[in-house]
């Protein structure tokens, strides 16, 4: 399945919308897109996973690596609208204890806005 990625401005952040399956074949695209946001100066990024029904360990690894990259640069990477199958993976691997996971993009944006100094860039 093809992976579709789109970036849009959010409230106090940048939103990366992901549609398709995140697996060994598509996880490099996700990582490149997130690295591109870092390179562009984005510091508060919410990954909208509403359109993702499957994620394997390579995609999980890409998210963790990029979470660390955002944090190292003084930024924040959050996940939103995570589907049940993907949420199970995040829970089993305890990634949800490290990376903030929200029920919706709106909830993630609200938390970014309530954080001190949240500017999105």
């Amino acid at each position: 399945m093809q992976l579709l990625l789109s970036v849009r401005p959010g409230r106090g952040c940048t939103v990366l919308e992901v549609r398709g399956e995140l697996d060994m074949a598509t996880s490099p695209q996700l990582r490149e897109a997130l690295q591109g946001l870092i390179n562009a100066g984005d510091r508060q990024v919410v990954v909208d996973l509403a359109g993702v029904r499957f994620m394997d360990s390579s995609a999980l690894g890409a998210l963790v690596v990029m979470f660390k990259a955002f944090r190292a640069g003084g930024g924040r990477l959050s996940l939103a609208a995570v589907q049940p199958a993907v949420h199970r993976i995040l829970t089993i691997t305890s990634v949800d204890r490290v990376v903030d996971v929200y029920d919706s993009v709106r909830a993630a944006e609200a938390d970014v806005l309530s954080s001190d100094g949240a500017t999105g860039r």
Side-chain angles (χ1 to χ4, degrees):
M1 180 176 209
Q2 183 181 9
L3 186 68
L4 301 173
L5 302 170
S6 61
V7 176
R8 67 172 177 81
R11 294 181 2 228
C13 62
T14 300
V15 177
L16 174 64
E17 296 176 353
V18 183
R19 305 253 181 266
E21 294 185 355
L22 286 172
D23 56 24
M24 185 184 285
T26 60
S27 60
Q29 290 174 259
L30 175 64
R31 189 171 175 174
E32 289 169 14
L34 289 169
Q35 186 62 54
L37 292 174
I38 289 174
N39 294 348
D42 292 288
R43 294 294 172 251
Q44 305 289 332
V45 173
V46 174
V47 180
D48 178 356
L49 295 173
V52 176
R53 305 271 184 252
F54 174 80
M55 180 170 65
D56 73 5
S57 61
S58 63
L60 185 66
L63 285 173
V64 170
V65 165
M66 296 314 301
F67 168 80
K68 290 178 180 179
F70 274 93
R71 188 174 62 188
R76 178 177 170 194
L77 178 70
S78 304
L79 307 178
V82 178
Q83 298 303 304
V86 173
H87 200 277
R88 234 181 337 273
I89 292 168
L90 297 173
T91 302
I92 289 169
T93 59
S94 297
V95 169
D96 64 341
R97 294 184 183 187
V98 178
V99 180
D100 292 323
V101 180
Y102 298 90
D103 290 337
S104 67
V105 171
R106 182 176 296 258
E109 289 173 328
D111 193 46
V112 168
L113 288 171
S114 70
S115 298
D116 293 337
T119 62
R121 288 207 129 208

